[in-house]
Amino acid sequence: MAELTVRANLGALPAIAEFLAETLAGCGGELVFAIQLAVDEACSNIVLYGYPGGEPGSISIACTADDETVRVTITDDGVPFDPLTAPPPPPLDVPVEERPIGGGSVSTSSGR
């Protein structure tokens, strides 16, 4: 198992991507890219939302790979996400071009 611990800030994302590329070098480019993308998104969310108003902590990545399985475990010491306190998703019956980017309330004007 390969492990990496970094400070929880956006500047650490390239180091995480490089760590995954090195650790998963024999797994094929498409798979490595897909894993890098998923881990980048998860770590970005940790950085952006896991440390509200405080000093960032750390993010640890553990990665194992064999012939059939790749396992990436991400551990942080930020504030846990509580899905019960999250705002509701935007309505899906509104056309995509009328939905706000990143959630929020739906505009009632079409802008046309």
Side-chain angles (χ1 to χ4, degrees):
M1 175 178 345
E3 296 183 48
L4 173 71
T5 299
V6 295
R7 189 124 173 99
N9 63 51
L10 295 177
L13 296 177
I16 294 170
E18 181 63 28
F19 164 75
L20 292 169
E22 291 173 4
T23 303
L24 303 172
C27 293
E30 285 186 36
L31 178 62
V32 172
F33 177 75
I35 292 170
Q36 286 173 314
L37 185 61
V39 171
D40 185 270
E41 178 67 19
C43 291
S44 294
N45 285 336
I46 291 168
V47 169
L48 295 172
Y49 307 110
Y51 301 95
E55 280 293 310
S58 62
I59 299 174
S60 295
I61 313 288
C63 184
T64 60
D66 61 34
D67 291 340
E68 298 179 14
T69 305
V70 172
R71 180 175 304 220
V72 177
T73 303
I74 303 169
T75 307
D76 68 90
D77 51 1
V79 176
F81 171 68
D82 180 0
L84 299 177
T85 63
L92 299 178
D93 58 347
V94 175
V96 169
E97 58 275 0
E98 293 181 21
R99 294 182 201 167
I101 295 174
S105 62
V106 175
S107 171
T108 55
S109 66
S110 65
R112 293 181 195 156

